[in-house]
Amino acid sequence: MAGGLGCDVCYWFVEDTQEKEGILPERAEEAKLKAKYPSLGQKPGGSDFLMKRLQKGQKYFDSGDYNMAKAKMKNKQLPSAGPDKNLVTGDHIPTPQDLPQRKSSLVTSKLAGGQVE
Amino acid sequence: WVGRGGGAGGGNDIQWCFSQVKGAVDDDVAEADIISTVEFNHSGELLATGDKGGRVVIFQQEQENKIQSHSRGEYNVYSTFQSHEPEFDYLKSLEIEEKINKIRWLPQKNAAQFLLSTNDKTIKLWKISERDKRPEGYNLKEEDGRYRDPTTVTTLRVPVFRPMDLMVEASPRRIFANAHTYHINSISINSDYETYLSADDLRINLWHLEITDRSFNIVDIKPANMEELTEVITAAEFHPNSCNTFVYSSSKGTIRLCDMRASALCDRHSKLFEEPEDPSNRSFFSEIISSISDVKFSHSGRYMMTRDYLSVKIWDLNMENRPVETYQVHEYLRSKLCSLYENDCIFDKFECCWNGSDSVVMTGSYNNFFRMFDRNTKRDITLEASRENNKPRTVLKPRKVCASGKRKKDEISVDSLDFNKKILHTAWHPKENIIAVATTNNLYIFQDKVN
């Protein structure tokens, strides 16, 4: 295609996008996701999803963990819940704000007529 | 249109009708009421549900009224009990959910019924028994239980059993605990009716139903270095006839068949079922959507079915390199994967089930839709579990999702689907065309139209 540098670059860009969307809707979705979260998939080591899956469950405040983490950090600031609350390690400690509400008392299931339909 | 349950597939199309719905009407769903498992027993007379609150509810089918059989017997509450309670892992400061992950019935051996129920960490064997007589006429006790003054007893009598109102009691007979570091996703009773397996993310254990303080580890896929972890176990099941054979599925879309006669630790599979993927089609989502959420053997034992995010696949145990049948559940979601990843729906674990004759398979979807695939006619249908069609014997109207372009009347567009209304758990009566479909907090029972 004749024309200046700008024109050629445009042409390639358009063709590339069209090609991508034409092949797989999945690829287009992937592009969307990567545009929103550029750091996705960059983390080395075991898969994020798998680790998250293995460690599901509400973690509670543990004074032992807290004190050990404090000792490790020495002069640095006190430990607090990391950005990923689900990660279970000694250094990630939930703060009182992160604790869930107290569970309500156990009652009969509504499937068994616990409530009139 | 769906093949008849009992016999071979044939011309007669069946029509599905609403029969019953259980649970609260209100939209405000308490977390404890979320249904987490549904299972018919071997005769189909009993239907058990488990929920997030650790409770089990068992329904029993009424004896058919032979005189006016407009429909088969209804399911009414038979027993309900608290199976699991919330617990706390003090070592890790983690809460252990009481949610019932699976219920499996034992075949009936005597008057009582037995089932296994499991949460993330502990499996329990429950005995459900009926009491319809009670002893009366004690010499030393009054009828209300108070003790009599022995000096007032002048004659003796023999206590006798007299009928009483039926009482159904559930009692925990065995508790199988402390054998799983990770979260239990499956339990499966062996065809020997003496042993069963329990599977968590990385290990599978073999138990004897009578022994609670010991279990054998038969599969261990935990890597020496957790940084090397690439896949987890997602489901496991014993073969219905071969007591030495079981399968387990993975988050990478593979199924391994193991033979316990080969070695004590079945880390090496006897067969590996995997459909080859075209590497040029690979995307960020490929592995996630290939993760198998459920695996079920056919009643015949010749086939097994797997459910991944978008499809249901039927595998012939004699052929490892690809499934013999593939059914698309909701292919229109492929162009929505980005948002389904963002709202976590892409991680939803749908189950699947066979009908009694292995001619039809069923699985759930979103918007309270569920799908059935007839393996003989190759026809499929989408139905909805909704209170709108709740008059008994109302025939359900087939639903259709419009993927793109012009939406026809009565069709629903992909963007209007309610992704919070998911049908993850369904069950098919072992002999009849009766199905149990669980929405978030309601249990629907449908049956075929009986003339």
Side-chain angles (χ1 to χ4, degrees):
Chain A
M1 194 167 215
L5 185 63
C7 213
D8 285 348
V9 169
C10 261
Y11 175 77
W12 292 330
F13 174 77
V14 167
E15 188 182 54
D16 195 41
T17 319
Q18 278 176 350
E19 199 175 51
K20 250 195 209 160
E21 282 172 14
I23 290 175
L24 275 180
E26 234 176 276
R27 284 280 179 79
E29 291 296 298
E30 181 178 23
K32 252 195 249 175
L33 195 67
K34 291 229 159 114
K36 278 195 190 180
Y37 311 101
S39 62
L40 205 59
Q42 313 290 6
K43 222 171 149 191
S47 167
D48 277 351
F49 318 125
L50 295 184
M51 291 315 238
K52 230 177 150 169
R53 187 195 173 120
L54 292 181
Q55 291 161 357
K56 107 179 177 205
Q58 182 64 47
K59 179 144 172 68
Y60 287 83
F61 178 78
D62 184 311
S63 61
D65 282 346
Y66 183 80
N67 286 311
M68 281 183 62
K70 212 164 97 171
K72 252 193 234 174
M73 292 214 165
K74 292 183 186 153
N75 300 326
K76 294 183 197 163
Q77 61 185 131
L78 289 175
S80 61
D84 186 353
K85 294 193 191 113
N86 293 323
L87 211 57
V88 176
T89 69
D91 296 344
H92 290 250
I93 295 161
T95 56
Q97 297 92 283
D98 302 330
L99 295 180
Q101 282 183 322
R102 204 185 152 273
K103 273 191 184 314
S104 57
S105 0
L106 306 166
V107 294
T108 309
S109 164
K110 295 194 175 115
L111 290 186
Q115 176 178 316
V116 175
E117 275 181 61
Chain B
W1 63 265
V2 173
R4 264 186 295 203
N12 291 355
D13 289 351
I14 73 164
Q15 293 174 296
W16 288 100
C17 304
F18 173 86
S19 174
Q20 297 171 270
V21 61
K22 308 281 185 190
V25 192
D26 56 69
D27 286 331
D28 190 20
V29 183
E31 238 186 82
D33 293 324
I34 295 172
I35 299 172
S36 51
T37 186
V38 182
E39 188 83 355
F40 279 101
N41 76 336
H42 293 256
S43 66
E45 187 205 352
L46 298 178
L47 174 61
T49 60
D51 66 22
K52 215 166 179 214
R55 301 164 300 190
V56 170
V57 181
I58 301 174
F59 301 93
Q60 182 189 42
Q61 191 179 30
E62 247 170 32
Q63 287 309 303
E64 270 179 64
N65 187 335
K66 299 286 181 201
I67 301 163
Q68 38 157 213
S69 52
H70 290 298
S71 59
R72 295 182 189 79
E74 276 201 342
Y75 282 84
N76 300 316
V77 179
Y78 178 66
S79 172
T80 179
F81 54 93
Q82 187 75 37
S83 171
H84 287 69
E85 305 223 355
E87 282 178 68
F88 199 72
D89 179 340
Y90 297 97
L91 194 64
K92 295 185 198 153
S93 300
L94 280 177
E95 182 181 60
I96 299 169
E97 262 196 306
E98 67 275 33
K99 170 165 80 85
I100 309 294
N101 293 335
K102 286 280 165 15
I103 288 173
R104 289 288 181 263
W105 289 94
L106 264 72
Q108 193 174 11
K109 281 195 284 197
N110 51 38
Q113 301 277 357
F114 289 86
L115 61 79
L116 283 177
S117 69
T118 188
N119 70 347
D120 283 339
K121 299 285 185 180
T122 304
I123 306 128
K124 296 187 184 182
L125 177 69
W126 287 89
K127 176 180 180 181
I128 296 111
S129 46
E130 291 184 2
R131 195 197 289 266
D132 60 359
K133 306 185 255 295
R134 69 157 168 252
E136 285 177 18
Y138 283 105
N139 292 291
L140 295 174
K141 268 198 285 187
E142 303 285 358
E143 292 309 327
D144 61 9
R146 279 179 305 150
Y147 279 96
R148 279 164 133 182
D149 178 355
T151 58
T152 65
V153 176
T154 53
T155 60
L156 288 178
R157 57 187 174 172
V158 177
V160 289
F161 276 103
R162 295 230 184 278
M164 60 178 257
D165 286 340
L166 179 67
M167 205 163 75
V168 182
E169 301 168 319
S171 59
R173 305 306 285 178
R174 305 269 186 280
I175 298 184
F176 305 91
N178 303 320
H180 286 278
T181 308
Y182 302 98
H183 299 106
I184 298 173
N185 52 56
S186 312
I187 45 174
S188 177
I189 298 168
N190 202 345
S191 52
D192 66 10
Y193 301 152
E194 285 188 346
T195 57
Y196 74 94
L197 63 76
S198 57
D200 67 31
D201 293 313
L202 298 177
R203 299 190 177 103
I204 302 180
N205 293 330
L206 179 71
W207 302 83
H208 190 286
L209 285 164
E210 300 289 322
I211 300 168
T212 57
D213 63 355
R214 241 175 306 154
S215 83
F216 289 102
N217 175 243
I218 52 178
V219 172
D220 187 339
I221 65 167
K222 185 178 179 189
N225 179 1
M226 283 299 267
E227 294 279 305
E228 289 161 29
L229 181 71
T230 54
E231 70 184 321
V232 295
I233 297 168
T234 53
E237 192 174 64
F238 262 120
H239 190 275
N241 308 317
S242 300
C243 58
N244 49 276
T245 306
F246 65 93
V247 293
Y248 68 93
S249 58
S250 84
S251 52
K252 276 186 151 174
T254 64
I255 309 102
R256 286 172 176 78
L257 184 143
C258 302
D259 187 332
M260 295 194 292
R261 296 169 300 187
S263 68
L265 190 59
C266 298
D267 276 1
R268 263 190 311 195
H269 54 262
S270 299
K271 293 196 184 193
L272 173 65
F273 298 83
E274 188 173 15
E275 185 166 26
E277 194 201 359
D278 183 352
S280 64
N281 285 345
R282 199 156 175 82
S283 77
F284 174 81
F285 303 110
S286 300
E287 190 174 308
I288 304 173
I289 63 173
S290 72
S291 176
I292 291 171
S293 49
D294 195 16
V295 65
K296 293 257 170 53
F297 277 106
S298 63
H299 293 91
S300 64
R302 164 100 191 260
Y303 299 97
M304 66 178 173
M305 163 167 55
T306 57
R307 175 68 154 99
D308 51 69
Y309 191 60
L310 298 178
S311 67
V312 158
K313 293 179 180 170
I314 312 282
W315 303 78
D316 183 326
L317 293 193
N318 299 316
M319 187 159 76
E320 297 167 63
N321 61 351
R322 60 177 171 81
V324 289
E325 295 155 41
T326 301
Y327 301 104
Q328 300 303 334
V329 181
H330 37 217
E331 180 67 13
Y332 46 77
L333 294 184
R334 201 179 285 270
S335 51
K336 301 286 170 198
L337 293 178
C338 179
S339 28
L340 292 168
Y341 177 86
E342 289 180 289
N343 62 19
D344 271 357
C345 283
I346 205 174
F347 300 105
D348 284 336
K349 296 180 180 58
F350 291 95
E351 291 175 9
C352 52
C353 61
W354 298 84
N355 73 340
S357 60
D358 298 336
S359 59
V360 185
V361 297
M362 169 168 66
T363 190
S365 178
Y366 295 105
N367 210 70
N368 283 346
F369 287 171
F370 57 100
R371 307 260 288 132
M372 290 183 188
F373 302 94
D374 188 319
R375 300 177 62 212
N376 299 323
T377 64
K378 299 302 182 202
R379 295 219 292 263
D380 62 87
I381 193 169
T382 305
L383 298 172
E384 183 180 358
S386 151
R387 282 176 184 272
E388 277 173 31
N389 310 315
N390 66 356
K391 282 208 286 278
R393 297 191 291 283
T394 309
V395 175
L396 297 181
K397 197 171 98 166
R399 314 291 292 166
K400 189 137 167 53
V401 177
C402 166
S404 60
K406 278 200 147 205
R407 187 179 72 88
K408 296 198 190 99
K409 183 178 157 281
D410 286 349
E411 283 186 358
I412 180 165
S413 77
V414 184
D415 296 311
S416 312
L417 294 175
D418 188 341
F419 290 95
N420 290 317
K421 293 190 173 162
K422 25 193 133 190
I423 290 178
L424 304 174
H425 312 286
T426 60
W428 205 309
H429 190 288
K431 302 183 174 88
E432 309 282 340
N433 277 338
I434 301 174
I435 55 176
V437 173
T439 58
T440 307
N441 65 328
N442 284 174
L443 182 72
Y444 285 79
I445 299 171
F446 302 106
Q447 42 182 278
D448 64 349
K449 196 175 171 74
V450 178
N451 293 313

